[in-house]
Amino acid sequence: MKKVIGFILFWIAIGMLLSFFLRSTLLTVLLLILFLVIGYHMFCH
């Protein structure tokens, strides 16, 4: 379980870093929604 939590925290940090460099709020929100849908689909199916 520690490895899964570490993996999740690593990718959260990568996402925060990307949102820091992407100044467009709309693009950041669209990427967030896209990655959430893809992640949900990959995790649950």
Side-chain angles (χ1 to χ4, degrees), residues 3-43:
K3 288 184 181 182
V4 173
I5 293 172
F7 187 73
I8 291 169
L9 289 175
F10 173 77
W11 285 108
I12 288 173
I14 295 296
M16 288 180 166
L17 187 64
L18 280 175
S19 68
F20 178 74
F21 288 116
L22 293 173
R23 292 293 180 202
S24 172
T25 307
L26 178 63
L27 182 60
T28 305
V29 171
L30 288 176
L31 280 175
L32 173 67
I33 292 169
L34 176 69
F35 291 156
L36 281 173
V37 169
I38 291 171
Y40 176 77
H41 182 71
M42 289 176 73
F43 185 74

